[in-house]
Amino acid sequence: MPEYISVEGLREDGRRANELRRVEANVGMFPHADGSAYFQQGDTKVVAIVNGPKQGVGKAGDAGKVVCDFEMAAFSTTQRRKPLRLDRKNAELGSKIASTFESAIMTDLYPRSQIEISVQVLQADGGVLAVAINAVTLALMDAGVAMTDFVCACTASVIDGTNVLDINHYEASAQGPELTIAVLPSSSTIVMAEMKSRVHGDLYAGLQDLAIVGGTTLLPLLKKAVHDRTRAMLPCLGPAA
Amino acid sequence: MDTTADDAGATAPDATTTTTTTTTTTTIVERPGMRIVCPGDVITEDQGYMRGHGTFIHDGRLLASVAGVVERVNKVISVRPVRTRYVGEIGDVVVGRIMQVGQRRWLVDTQSRLSSVLKLSSVNLPGGVLRRKSASDELTMRQVLAEGDLISAEVQAIFQEDGTLSLHTRSLRYGRLGPGMFMRVPSVLVRRSKNHFHTLPCGVAVVLGNNGYIWIGASMEEDTTQAREHDQHIITEETRRRMARVRNAISALAHRMLSIFDTTIIFTYDDSAHLEEKEMLHPEAIATITQRAYLLCTDQL
């Protein structure tokens, strides 16, 4: 049986149970999109693009709509997979992301409009949904879409009786319960929670707390990426009047 | 000698950190009092201020809802995002493309959140300003402006319920734009100024739409809306090259996210004289030709 946590309490990639993977963010690399971001957590790499808010189909008085197109690159997983034209799993993740952000975006400011998000996973090494949500948060902020808060997402799981944070693909193969949670960090409000399997009620509270802590730990990292991008854009405001 | 070597060693890590945000070694100077916020950041807990664009109130505190720069006008606090779709203001000059011909109105793409509207009653039809619009005018709208036509116009009104812009072309300055080049830049780059129609020293005409749409033409001759035959006149190669240079100058400015107005365009145009038009958009070339504009925009000139 493979060992997931060593006797010293270190995981296979050298992290402690409550540590996140290394994070890398790049905001606004596509000038032709309204907003774009690249986000990497460990070896999970995601690109998110935002177009809009633009003319939607609704009638006057309708609040803005968020739609999300989720795609995995053919080369993103260990097994090369031909992309399907209608992938149920991807469509479900897409609508999950869209409804997550509808609770953070101030949609009433964008009547009759549509905000189009598209997510492309370049490399999937566990926690794809969580990393995608973090990437979309950055892309939406790059697009200047009004939001009440960042949306930070993180996974948590139980391996060999220990709660572990932000699991990778190898640790997911331990078949433990995998919980993905998206929070609004300033109020610790949960806006999305997804559990891959059934879990004993006694375990759930600990898992949820750990995932929330993971999400709030991500906040300063995401904030720095947005702040740096904004700072780099300051010359666009022109000389002081 | 030793000291200079030490200095180089000491400044090196600093230089690398600045290059992550800008393409050259010049550091960004933040203007005094300029404050950058991200969504969810508390701007003030003071109850005495009013909520402007890009902010909201939660638990009695004023929070930012977009990433950008805090601005205050008397008691109103707002956050200006550095990149967003065009948010129109009455009186803005815009460049737009006709998307659809509808019932007594044209729908115009202006890079704003919703399509803008140009009403038949807001255009000057041939035959004088005071001519009454008749039913036959409604049937021949496509002869005045058809799908795909580019126009310059002014924002006449903003609909309260959803922010749709209503445009008008009731002035000789506005109307259908003739042959030329069209380009799109982020709308924040075009500053509001007294004049958006420029004839540059090189003779090229530009219309800098507040919405980030830009038209570059051979000259600023007024285009009466029915003069389609005039479109066929020939533009010399030299003029076309000058137009291409202006286009690439604007494109270079947009690449570095620098404010676009007549002075920065002229700076970049002049500083690119040693390059061919097609060489202007190499990354190193962009850094050199926009340097003067960069210094101007960051108040270092």
Side-chain angles (χ1 to χ4, degrees):
Chain A
M1 193 182 147
E3 191 189 58
Y4 292 100
I5 302 174
S6 72
V7 279
E8 291 87 16
L10 294 175
R11 294 202 251 163
E12 174 254 348
D13 54 7
R15 286 182 289 154
R16 301 240 167 238
N18 59 352
E19 269 180 328
L20 289 168
R21 292 179 284 178
R22 188 175 60 90
V23 161
E24 214 177 291
N26 186 0
V27 183
M29 65 288 189
F30 298 138
H32 290 285
D34 286 312
S36 56
Y38 166 85
F39 195 71
Q40 177 180 355
Q41 222 166 315
D43 278 332
T44 302
K45 302 169 183 175
V46 174
V47 168
I49 291 169
V50 168
N51 269 308
K54 57 190 202 181
Q55 180 87 51
V57 283
K59 53 187 191 303
D62 283 2
K65 224 179 111 191
V66 184
V67 293
C68 177
D69 180 35
F70 185 95
E71 262 177 47
M72 305 265 283
F75 49 80
S76 61
T77 44
T78 42
Q79 202 119 73
R80 194 180 178 84
R81 215 185 61 168
K82 213 173 163 192
L84 303 169
R85 278 197 59 211
L86 275 170
D87 193 321
R88 284 261 183 80
K89 233 173 106 191
N90 288 355
E92 196 196 320
L93 284 171
S95 66
K96 202 161 269 172
I97 293 173
S99 62
T100 303
F101 281 95
E102 266 178 359
S103 50
I105 295 172
M106 304 167 97
T107 48
D108 47 331
L109 292 181
Y110 306 115
R112 295 206 295 133
S113 317
Q114 178 162 307
I115 297 167
E116 289 173 7
I117 301 167
S118 76
V119 174
Q120 177 80 249
V121 178
L122 302 181
Q123 200 171 318
D125 186 33
V128 167
L129 178 59
V131 180
I133 287 173
N134 295 332
V136 171
T137 304
L138 295 178
L140 281 168
M141 292 189 179
D142 183 40
V145 175
M147 292 165 81
T148 49
D149 201 353
F150 282 76
V151 183
C152 300
C154 196
T155 62
S157 177
V158 183
I159 299 174
D160 300 339
T162 316
N163 288 351
V164 288
L165 189 65
D166 194 15
I167 57 167
N168 59 25
H169 180 68
Y170 174 72
E171 288 166 330
S173 70
Q175 302 289 327
E178 184 181 340
L179 174 68
T180 307
I181 270 187
V183 289
L184 304 179
S186 58
S187 55
S188 289
T189 316
I190 298 172
V191 285
M192 196 274 303
E194 192 205 40
M195 182 65 109
K196 276 236 177 98
S197 58
R198 297 208 299 178
V199 66
H200 194 277
D202 294 349
L203 281 175
Y204 182 77
L207 269 184
Q208 181 180 301
D209 289 348
L210 185 63
I212 290 175
V213 169
T216 36
T217 317
L218 276 167
L219 176 68
L221 302 166
L222 296 179
K223 209 171 238 186
K224 186 181 177 299
V226 175
H227 197 278
D228 285 352
R229 166 72 177 161
T230 310
R231 216 171 110 76
M233 299 266 286
L234 283 184
C236 75
L237 303 177
Chain B
M1 284 299 281
D2 271 45
T3 51
T4 49
D6 270 350
D7 278 347
T11 51
D14 209 47
T16 49
T17 50
T18 51
T19 44
T20 53
T21 48
T22 55
T23 43
T24 57
T25 48
T26 348
T27 48
I28 290 170
V29 272
E30 274 178 60
R31 273 172 227 142
M34 197 178 252
R35 185 173 158 208
I36 298 172
V37 287
C38 295
D41 283 354
V42 178
I43 299 172
T44 177
E45 304 204 359
D46 192 335
Q47 308 273 320
Y49 292 102
M50 286 196 300
R51 182 178 71 92
H53 286 294
T55 63
F56 65 104
I57 290 173
H58 185 72
D59 285 343
R61 298 179 302 177
L62 192 68
L63 309 181
S65 65
V66 294
V69 178
V70 178
E71 284 178 350
R72 191 176 68 92
V73 178
N74 296 324
K75 286 280 168 197
V76 181
I77 292 183
S78 56
V79 177
R80 179 138 71 116
V82 282
R83 220 172 95 182
T84 181
R85 290 230 155 192
Y86 169 60
V87 183
E89 277 177 30
I90 292 171
D92 278 357
V93 174
V94 296
V95 171
R97 195 181 284 283
I98 305 290
M99 303 301 288
Q100 216 184 88
V101 182
Q103 286 281 313
R104 265 169 258 145
R105 67 187 57 209
W106 290 272
L107 290 184
V108 188
D109 168 32
T110 51
Q111 200 170 219
S112 51
R113 292 199 279 260
L114 299 166
S115 305
S116 305
V117 171
L118 176 67
K119 284 189 194 146
L120 180 60
S121 57
S122 316
V123 299
N124 276 345
L125 292 179
V129 183
L130 295 172
R131 197 175 76 109
R132 263 189 85 213
K133 305 276 184 326
S134 63
S136 69
D137 288 330
E138 285 175 36
L139 299 173
T140 56
M141 276 172 65
R142 211 170 252 110
Q143 282 164 25
V144 181
L145 291 169
E147 290 92 341
D149 280 354
L150 269 187
I151 56 161
S152 65
E154 190 179 292
V155 177
Q156 185 175 34
I158 301 166
F159 291 124
Q160 264 314 308
E161 59 270 27
D162 58 6
T164 307
L165 304 179
S166 177
L167 311 175
H168 82 90
T169 60
R170 281 190 160 274
S171 158
L172 277 181
R173 277 184 299 172
Y174 307 125
R176 204 169 72 87
L177 292 163
M181 285 165 149
F182 169 77
M183 65 185 300
R184 189 191 136 186
V185 298
S187 62
V188 279
L189 297 185
V190 182
R191 263 209 318 189
R192 295 194 164 87
S193 77
K194 211 180 262 179
N195 191 9
H196 286 267
F197 295 80
H198 298 286
T199 301
L200 300 174
C202 57
V204 172
V206 287
V207 181
L208 303 172
N210 274 130
N211 57 337
Y213 284 174
I214 292 172
W215 177 84
I216 304 164
S219 65
M220 197 66 88
E221 65 187 58
E222 270 110 36
D223 188 81
T224 53
T225 37
Q226 295 237 306
R228 267 165 214 271
E229 317 79 69
H230 286 290
D231 290 2
Q232 269 92 45
H233 67 187
I234 294 150
I235 301 172
T236 62
E237 191 193 329
E238 206 203 330
T239 315
R240 288 206 304 271
R241 277 184 180 279
R242 279 203 293 261
M243 285 162 65
R245 189 174 288 276
V246 171
R247 197 214 90 100
N248 283 354
I250 296 173
S251 196
L253 289 167
H255 256 278
R256 272 191 84 182
M257 278 296 166
L258 296 171
S259 187
I260 292 166
F261 50 99
D262 49 349
T263 322
T264 51
I265 297 172
I266 293 166
F267 277 2
T268 312
Y269 183 95
D270 291 347
D271 293 350
S272 73
H274 64 289
L275 294 167
E276 263 195 68
E277 293 84 3
K278 62 181 178 190
E279 297 166 343
M280 289 168 66
L281 295 179
H282 288 299
E284 314 90 68
I286 289 176
T288 26
I289 64 178
T290 57
Q291 192 54 26
R292 230 167 11 125
Y294 177 82
L295 294 176
L296 179 72
C297 287
T298 51
D299 289 326
Q300 294 177 64
L301 204 66

